[in-house]
Amino acid sequence: PVANATITLSPLAHQVRAGDNVTLCCSVQVGSAPVTFTWLHNGQEVARGPLLELGAIEMGHSGTYQCMATNPPDGHSVSQTLSPELALEVTPQGHKDKVSAGVGGALLFLLLLVGVIVAWHWWH
């Protein structure tokens, strides 16, 4: 029978930024092949296999993840184990960076506008 399913997260942070690449890996400490893995996100099945690659993560990926490992120990009865829940929080990507870039762009535009006005006054 299978037992002690665990999830490891790469990168090792429970809080990630939108756009980051995230991979979850499920493994069991006890159990013989063949073992199948089923991924749950907020209690709903989302994928199968030992790896869950979320790619460029989005806000909708926030929530709890679990993996269920299953194998038939004697070919007839099914053995399964559920990992502890992993809570994943996705934060918006660099909101401060976007604001400062917008302010910098506005200041550059104003500086250019003042330069055009001064040049126009000199010319006339």
Side-chain angles (χ1 to χ4, degrees):
V2 291
N4 301 334
T6 57
I7 299 175
T8 53
L9 176 67
S10 175
L12 293 173
H14 293 272
Q15 187 177 46
V16 294
R17 288 186 158 192
D20 287 352
N21 291 320
V22 174
T23 301
L24 304 178
C25 178
C26 185
S27 60
V28 291
Q29 293 178 352
V30 177
S32 56
V35 177
T36 59
F37 298 96
T38 303
W39 288 97
L40 307 173
H41 176 228
N42 295 329
Q44 300 294 314
E45 183 177 329
V46 292
R48 291 183 180 255
L51 295 178
L52 178 60
E53 296 184 40
L54 299 176
I57 203 162
E58 300 172 358
M59 299 300 289
H61 288 113
S62 291
T64 58
Y65 288 86
Q66 283 185 292
C67 79
M68 181 172 48
T70 308
N71 81 338
D74 58 9
H76 300 290
S77 62
V78 174
S79 168
Q80 70 181 25
T81 183
L82 197 59
S83 73
E85 288 186 344
L86 173 82
L88 189 66
E89 181 183 352
V90 180
T91 58
Q93 182 176 8
H95 180 67
K96 290 180 184 175
D97 297 339
K98 291 179 184 177
V99 170
S100 60
V103 170
L107 290 175
L108 183 61
F109 174 75
L110 288 175
L111 184 61
L112 182 61
L113 183 60
V114 168
V116 168
I117 292 171
V118 168
W120 185 79
H121 277 295
W122 274 15
W123 188 60
H124 285 76

